[in-house]
Amino acid sequence: MSRSQIHPFRLPTFACLFLALVTAPTIGQQTGRIEGRVVKDVDGEPVAGVNVIVVGTGIGTVTGTDGSFVLARVPAGQQELIFRWLGYRQQRVSVTVRADATQRADVRLTLQAVLLGDVVVQSASRSPERVVEAPSAVSLISQITLRNQAATGQAPRALAQVPGVDVVQSGMNDFNVNARGFNSSLNRRVLVLQDGRDLAIAFLGSQEWNALSIPLDDIDRMEMVRGPGSALYGANAFSGVINMRTPTARNALGTKLSLAGGELSTFRGDLRHGGVTRDGRFGYRFNAGYSQSESWTQTRTAFDGSDAAKEYCDAATAAATGCTEIAVAPVLTGVPSCILEEPNCLSIERLALAGQTVDGTTGVALGEADDLRNVYGSVRFDFYADNGSIFTIDGGAAQVENEIFVTGIGRVQVAKALRPWAKIGWTADNFELTGWYSGRSSTDPQVSLGTGADLEESSAIFHFEGQYNRSFANDRARVVLGTSYRNYNVNTKQTLMNAANDDRSDDYYSAYGQFEYRPVPQIRLVAAARVDDGTLFETQFSPKGAIVYSPDPNHSIRASVNRAFQTPNYSEFFLNVQAGATADPAALEGGLLQYYAALQNPAVVGPGLAAVMSSLGLPSTLPWNFDPQTAVMGLGNANLDVEKVTGWEVGYKGNIAENAYVSVDLYFNQLSNFVTDLLFGVNQLQYPQFDMSDGTNVPTELATIDAILAGAMLPANHPLRATNAALLAGYNTLSTNPALTDLAGVGRVIALSYAQAGEVEETGVEFGIGYGFTPEFRVDGTYTYFDFKIQDPGAVAAGQTIVPNTPRHKGTIGLTYTGLQGFDATVNARFIEEHEWSAGVFAGTVPASQNFDVNVGYRFNNNFRAYVNATNILDQKRFQLYGGSVIQRRILGGITTTF
């Protein structure tokens, strides 16, 4: 199927499927309302994130950040509520609901050891289930963790303690989150959703984490599913899914104000207000926020490379890996050295950071860089129907300024970008209908620091989806069905794609389903499948099968097989942009001609030798016609196929004692058509190597000249023979460089492109353990092992390096104290092994790191809390990916008040 082929009949078909899911009308009935507040029994501190369920009705909610909850449209009569949350004893409460009245149900929960049987997740199967029965490796991020990271605004940090997950920071707000190997700059192997909306940038498919339009402590639930997930989530749920859910309006009542500040001149303010109408039928929630901070990012413009070398030398020396291995060189034999993928190389950049200027003599940056600034706002309106369903309209926008992203073509600074979005949805017990829009506009052009080029993107994603779920056979069986349509619109104004491929619109279609059955209460069988098609890829089928054995409510053993796929993004298909400083192969061409002319000049070599040289018929011109400003280009590969993975996995979750839990996951993945990062000299089908031998015979000519010079008794170190040797070496380097190509409409370029490795195998172990010394004090730890093997290099050229950008060993440990009188504290540590990194123009060694974070908070009363957040408190200076910023300490303090 052509990449531009449109499917005219699929949209009506989709619409029929979509509308067929709307099968639950609003039914009038006698209902009432239950509201209340959940607090700790020891000190009255509110408990957020508690699951509140009305038994036998399917009606449920979770408590907000102030511990409050609202259950609307509850059938009149005697009802039983269940309150459960991780680390607290489950509690049941009976309530008599009266028609058109509000009943109060305030609850005090008692701390207890963690019981996995009480933890409910919904991302693994797109419907609620106990975590021990989930058919995938899934982790639920605690409200304490989200609250602790709220001051930073860095959502990925909440995932740092999850086993098997790489959280790689390359700037203040630039993170690459991945699971189970082969991370990258601008990673997109993990699908990130907020209330079902894909947060990815359309052009790259990666995340812009600082564009969230809600503070982290207002996220109700954050879950991470590890492993292939396309059977339910489609393209790009390749290595996992991050699913974030925000509260309904009635679960965010009142006003909350948070203010924080600290090192790097950081300031952050977040405001939320929510309410409902008197009859409880309409609810609203507003969020707004602003943040400003300096950054650790350094300019790399010094002509001698001293600034870049010092930035990385300091970090490398501290890590005892040695500074002398780091090189900074803009040009080597006509090709930028980092393009040659020499290890530990940083390119000199053309532009300083925004707000700075470059000294014309030394290249050193002058002045202070502009601060990073983010501003956001969002609004949500809910309508609560009589049958318990919710109709929602929400939207918002975030504006980000001056953030640095590490990309395959070098570092890019986002001067100012706007991220608007809107969503409409109808959610009921058995179905969910949603439609959403997500846009991005570079209101001020992004700039490539390496080349100085302006890079623009104006994009929009439109998505419509319907999902239906139903239990039957006395709840022994359940089915989930869904279908979706998505449209991408991308225009880079020919700054990232050429005219033939730019300003484009592409469609995606899908249908999916999951069926599960319990032949006996202890065994759960799961089968799922999804079909995806679109204008950029052929039809894909993603199946999944799993069996879960639960001998009791707090233990389970799981085995599963999954297949997932990832479509090449627009960059991988159609990229057309300068990727580095211009090279000068014309210097070799001019040097050869000057050398030939000098050898035939009697004034230089003498009459006799000049005559001999003249008899050789040495050329006075060469057919290459190199441009002194030969561009280094990043180019897409239109022949890429979708990347596929088949994963086999076994796992165990359980409480091995009343106050201890263990989780173990082992996996084996087979990746086919693995898409590499930008590499030089690959994709020879589109960009064949330029043949320098056509019409010339330079090696023979230089060999003959050297023999004549040697016969004339000139030693090897004579300037003429030394020049001969240098020219021959330069010719051999350039003529054998597969990246040198003749690009139509441009001329000779040094080409970076994408390729596909035939097959890669991954194996890994993920281990987690937790132990509660007391109900208030607990310790949690993880260990992850990863290994890989290239079974078939595919189209990757010999000598090219493919590395997973993932350490073989890593681990975490965390201590949590939630004590009396409102005091809480956490200490988290991450231990990362030294490993290699290669992505586009950046390749080098990432030093080992031992990172410690500390959070301390104190709640003075139910309405006022103060806290201190310290990331990398020991100030261990490390870069976490090659080419990224050196990450340092940041200590923030703040207050949160609710009223």
Side-chain angles (χ1 to χ4, degrees):
M1 180 179 60
S2 167
R3 301 209 191 283
S4 60
Q5 183 178 346
I6 304 298
H7 306 272
F9 300 108
R10 287 184 179 161
L11 187 53
T13 301
F14 162 81
C16 292
L17 290 171
F18 186 85
L19 293 174
L21 294 174
V22 187
T23 59
T26 300
I27 302 173
Q29 57 181 309
Q30 294 293 308
T31 64
R33 168 186 170 101
I34 304 173
E35 62 182 34
R37 196 159 181 262
V38 180
V39 299
K40 295 180 185 178
D41 65 345
V42 291
D43 57 10
E45 183 178 354
V47 184
V50 177
N51 293 284
V52 186
I53 300 170
V54 183
V55 176
T57 67
I59 299 173
T61 187
V62 295
T63 58
T65 54
D66 62 350
S68 63
F69 70 93
V70 176
L71 295 164
R73 311 291 176 252
V74 181
Q78 193 72 20
Q79 302 291 349
E80 185 177 31
L81 307 184
I82 295 179
F83 296 81
R84 62 185 182 191
W85 183 229
L86 189 67
Y88 294 89
R89 181 171 292 116
Q90 178 178 301
Q91 188 164 333
R92 291 174 176 260
V93 175
S94 293
V95 178
T96 301
V97 179
R98 295 181 175 84
D100 301 320
T102 298
Q103 309 302 316
R104 189 80 186 174
D106 294 323
V107 173
R108 303 178 75 89
L109 293 184
T110 303
L111 286 165
Q112 72 165 18
V114 174
L115 294 177
L116 291 180
D118 292 338
V119 181
V120 175
V121 295
Q122 70 177 55
S123 300
S125 299
R126 300 190 75 146
S127 60
E129 61 193 351
R130 296 189 311 128
V131 69
V132 292
E133 297 178 331
S136 303
V138 58
S139 298
L140 175 64
I141 310 305
S142 72
Q143 284 288 329
I144 292 176
T145 300
L146 292 169
R147 183 186 65 189
N148 288 341
Q149 298 303 327
T152 69
Q154 299 167 333
R157 299 190 67 90
L159 301 163
Q161 304 297 110
V162 176
V165 175
D166 292 315
V167 178
V168 176
Q169 187 174 4
S170 56
M172 181 60 70
N173 299 302
D174 184 21
F175 289 81
N176 293 285
V177 180
N178 191 47
R180 301 183 173 179
F182 287 93
N183 202 352
S184 178
S185 56
L186 300 176
N187 182 69
R188 61 189 184 89
R189 293 176 179 272
V190 172
L191 179 67
V192 181
L193 302 174
Q194 178 185 320
D195 295 326
R197 181 172 60 90
D198 189 345
L199 299 184
I201 300 171
F203 179 74
L204 295 167
S206 58
Q207 307 304 317
E208 200 162 20
W209 289 103
N210 54 337
L212 288 176
S213 54
I214 190 169
L216 298 185
D217 54 349
D218 272 359
I219 295 175
D220 257 354
R221 300 180 68 83
M222 186 177 192
E223 299 175 11
M224 173 89 190
V225 182
R226 306 187 302 280
S230 290
L232 288 179
Y233 289 97
N236 304 335
F238 193 83
S239 296
V241 177
I242 298 170
N243 193 8
M244 296 179 283
R245 290 281 181 175
T246 62
T248 63
R250 64 189 179 193
N251 288 326
L253 301 179
T255 302
K256 185 186 75 171
L257 175 65
S258 296
L259 299 173
E263 289 187 314
L264 295 175
S265 301
T266 298
F267 170 77
R268 182 179 181 92
D270 297 285
L271 177 66
R272 185 203 70 203
H273 178 71
V276 294
T277 57
R278 179 168 296 180
D279 62 0
R281 186 171 292 274
F282 293 94
Y284 61 89
R285 188 192 74 211
F286 299 93
N287 286 91
Y290 173 82
S291 66
Q292 181 171 333
S293 174
E294 297 173 358
S295 174
W296 300 298
T297 302
Q298 301 294 310
T299 299
R300 301 171 185 168
T301 54
F303 298 150
D304 61 359
S306 57
D307 49 6
K310 184 179 188 306
E311 178 187 1
Y312 267 37
C313 277
D314 288 348
T317 299
T321 60
C323 173
T324 57
E325 297 180 1
I326 295 176
V328 182
V331 176
L332 177 65
T333 61
V335 183
S337 57
C338 289
I339 304 300
L340 287 176
E341 292 198 356
E342 293 193 347
N344 302 319
C345 180
L346 295 172
S347 293
I348 296 174
E349 295 173 338
R350 179 170 296 180
L351 293 184
L353 302 177
Q356 295 180 314
T357 59
V358 175
D359 184 277
T361 303
T362 64
V364 173
L366 305 175
E368 295 294 327
D370 289 344
D371 287 351
L372 310 178
R373 286 183 293 272
N374 299 338
V375 60
Y376 73 84
S378 64
V379 59
R380 171 170 176 153
F381 297 100
D382 292 336
F383 170 75
Y384 307 106
D386 288 337
N387 66 345
S389 64
I390 304 175
F391 183 80
T392 299
I393 298 176
D394 57 340
Q399 180 174 280
V400 299
E401 298 182 38
N402 299 324
E403 186 58 79
I404 300 292
F405 291 102
V406 177
T407 76
I409 62 171
R411 299 197 300 175
V412 171
Q413 183 160 33
V414 179
K416 184 183 292 184
L418 184 66
R419 296 292 307 273
W421 63 275
K423 181 174 176 287
I424 186 170
W426 184 15
T427 302
D429 292 340
N430 297 111
F431 71 87
E432 183 175 8
L433 302 176
T434 59
W436 55 261
Y437 150 80
S438 183
R440 188 179 193 276
S441 176
S442 48
T443 52
D444 289 347
Q446 305 162 143
V447 292
S448 167
L449 298 182
T451 67
D454 287 345
L455 309 173
E456 299 194 42
E457 178 192 352
S458 178
S459 61
I461 307 173
F462 299 91
H463 181 95
F464 303 93
E465 183 165 354
Q467 179 183 311
Y468 174 78
N469 70 84
R470 181 183 177 187
S471 297
F472 51 95
N474 296 321
D475 288 335
R476 293 172 59 191
R478 182 174 60 173
V479 64
V480 177
L481 300 173
T483 183
S484 68
Y485 163 76
R486 183 177 296 190
N487 173 260
Y488 286 87
N489 290 273
V490 178
N491 186 355
T492 71
K493 300 180 181 178
Q494 300 180 36
T495 61
L496 289 164
M497 298 187 287
N498 61 28
N501 295 313
D502 208 350
D503 194 12
R504 59 185 302 115
S505 176
D506 298 289
D507 297 316
Y508 289 63
Y509 315 84
S510 72
Y512 59 87
Q514 176 167 300
F515 174 77
E516 54 190 75
Y517 179 70
R518 295 178 183 271
V520 296
Q522 294 83 10
I523 295 178
R524 181 185 182 199
L525 305 176
V526 178
R530 179 174 173 129
V531 177
D532 290 89
D533 203 352
T535 55
L536 289 176
F537 59 93
E538 300 289 346
T539 302
Q540 300 297 315
F541 178 66
S542 305
K544 171 183 178 178
I547 180 171
V548 182
Y549 172 61
S550 303
D552 63 55
N554 290 308
H555 297 268
S556 71
I557 301 172
R558 166 181 48 85
S560 64
V561 59
N562 302 268
R563 182 183 298 167
F565 74 101
Q566 177 173 263
T567 62
N569 60 26
Y570 286 102
S571 174
E572 291 166 342
F573 271 141
F574 307 120
L575 184 67
N576 191 297
V577 66
Q578 187 174 338
T582 55
D584 186 14
L588 174 66
E589 186 174 11
L592 278 167
L593 294 177
Q594 291 176 14
Y595 182 59
Y596 289 164
L599 291 173
Q600 299 173 77
N601 186 345
V604 176
V605 299
L609 195 54
V612 173
M613 296 297 180
S614 296
S615 68
L616 298 178
L618 298 174
S620 59
T621 62
L622 290 169
W624 304 330
N625 298 318
F626 286 127
D627 189 329
Q629 298 297 310
T630 297
V632 179
M633 297 290 293
L635 301 169
N637 183 345
N639 299 309
L640 292 175
D641 199 356
V642 298
E643 185 175 347
K644 300 177 182 179
V645 60
T646 301
W648 291 265
E649 186 173 336
V650 294
Y652 165 79
K653 297 185 185 77
N655 285 97
I656 57 176
E658 183 180 2
N659 56 348
Y661 75 87
V662 168
S663 67
V664 182
D665 296 283
L666 298 88
Y667 64 89
F668 172 76
N669 294 336
Q670 284 185 313
L671 285 69
S672 59
N673 294 327
F674 173 74
V675 178
T676 69
D677 283 299
L678 283 169
L679 299 173
F680 78 94
V682 298
N683 193 10
Q684 289 289 309
L685 183 63
Q686 280 187 265
Y687 314 116
Q689 180 179 345
F690 177 66
D691 186 3
M692 291 182 61
S693 65
D694 187 17
T696 67
N697 197 9
V698 170
T700 300
E701 291 165 353
L702 291 176
T704 301
I705 291 169
D706 189 65
I708 294 172
L709 294 176
M713 306 305 291
L714 296 181
N717 61 354
H718 188 279
L720 289 176
R721 293 191 66 190
T723 300
N724 186 295
L727 290 170
L728 180 61
Y731 175 86
N732 289 337
T733 298
L734 197 58
S735 64
T736 58
N737 178 11
L740 183 63
T741 190
D742 202 346
L743 187 64
V746 178
R748 311 285 156 57
V749 300
I750 306 296
L752 284 162
S753 191
Y754 302 93
Q756 289 188 295
E759 186 173 304
V760 179
E761 292 182 351
E762 301 173 322
T763 55
V765 178
E766 299 163 350
F767 178 76
I769 188 169
Y771 181 78
F773 294 96
T774 69
E776 297 82 19
F777 179 66
R778 62 175 298 100
V779 59
D780 298 272
T782 70
Y783 166 75
T784 302
Y785 169 82
F786 171 83
D787 200 5
F788 79 106
K789 184 177 182 181
I790 305 293
Q791 293 287 15
D792 177 7
V796 178
Q800 295 296 316
T801 301
I802 298 178
V803 297
N805 300 331
T806 301
R808 186 182 298 267
H809 304 278
K810 60 178 177 281
T812 68
I813 188 168
L815 304 174
T816 303
Y817 177 77
T818 52
L820 303 179
Q821 305 303 319
F823 177 77
D824 62 86
T826 62
V827 179
N828 292 320
R830 283 191 298 159
F831 305 94
I832 308 296
E833 187 181 50
E834 177 182 300
H835 58 283
E836 297 303 311
W837 184 278
S838 179
V841 300
F842 295 114
T845 302
V846 175
S849 61
Q850 305 80 34
N851 191 280
F852 292 83
D853 300 334
V854 176
N855 298 274
V856 177
Y858 183 75
R859 183 177 292 276
F860 293 90
N861 52 50
N862 289 337
N863 303 102
F864 190 84
R865 179 177 182 269
Y867 58 86
V868 175
N869 172 285
T871 57
N872 191 14
I873 191 170
L874 300 182
D875 200 22
Q876 184 183 69
K877 298 177 174 61
R878 295 286 190 275
F879 46 90
Q880 298 180 11
L881 83 170
Y882 212 85
S885 301
V886 175
I887 307 303
Q888 303 175 44
R889 181 191 65 204
R890 186 165 67 150
I891 299 177
L892 305 176
I895 58 171
T896 298
T897 181
T898 56
F899 50 91

